[in-house]
Amino acid sequence: MDLARAYFDAWNARDASGILATLGNSGTYEDPKTGGPISGQHLNGYVEGLWAAFPDLNFVLASKAETGPDSVAAEWIMRGTNHGSMAGLPPTDKAVELRGADFLTFADNRIRVR
């Protein structure tokens, strides 16, 4: 649970290196806009772009539960206001709220696969 919290805390702190630090060598990030799993510098650039488009982006953990000895399910609410360009589109200045969940698997004190 501590590593899952550190992952979300890094997002909320706008700490790309902190996000990367929670991921193991095979740890990746994926959402509908990434075109598949990403990691390393590609992930770093992606999160920096999200924070530029949504400077107040934050995650609230709605619930979390251990799903096994090395896995956690985390339900979250992402909120932010689109104040910057994203994918070449102009900012809308509208608030966004998305609900979602991450299913995290751990190995060697890192998030192994998302």
Side-chain angles (χ1 to χ4, degrees):
M1 292 290 200
D2 290 341
L3 190 54
R5 170 60 67 190
Y7 172 76
F8 287 102
D9 286 349
W11 273 96
N12 289 336
R14 285 153 190 68
D15 179 6
S17 62
I19 293 169
L20 292 172
T22 64
L23 301 176
N25 291 336
S26 64
T28 61
Y29 173 85
E30 182 175 7
D31 71 27
K33 297 287 189 186
T34 62
I38 59 174
S39 61
Q41 292 299 3
H42 193 195
L43 174 55
N44 186 75
Y46 183 75
V47 299
E48 293 290 342
L50 280 176
W51 292 325
F54 297 88
D56 60 346
L57 182 79
N58 71 81
F59 288 89
V60 174
L61 285 178
S63 66
K64 59 186 182 299
E66 291 184 20
T67 55
D70 60 353
S71 60
V72 168
E75 179 185 14
W76 46 260
I77 304 166
M78 183 192 80
R79 295 183 178 110
T81 309
N82 181 217
H83 288 304
S85 176
M86 185 170 175
L89 299 172
T92 64
D93 293 324
K94 293 185 179 180
V96 173
E97 180 175 297
L98 298 172
R99 293 178 178 269
D102 283 338
F103 302 91
L104 308 172
T105 302
F106 307 103
D108 301 321
N109 202 32
R110 295 285 180 263
I111 298 171
R112 184 175 52 127
V113 177
R114 297 192 9 84

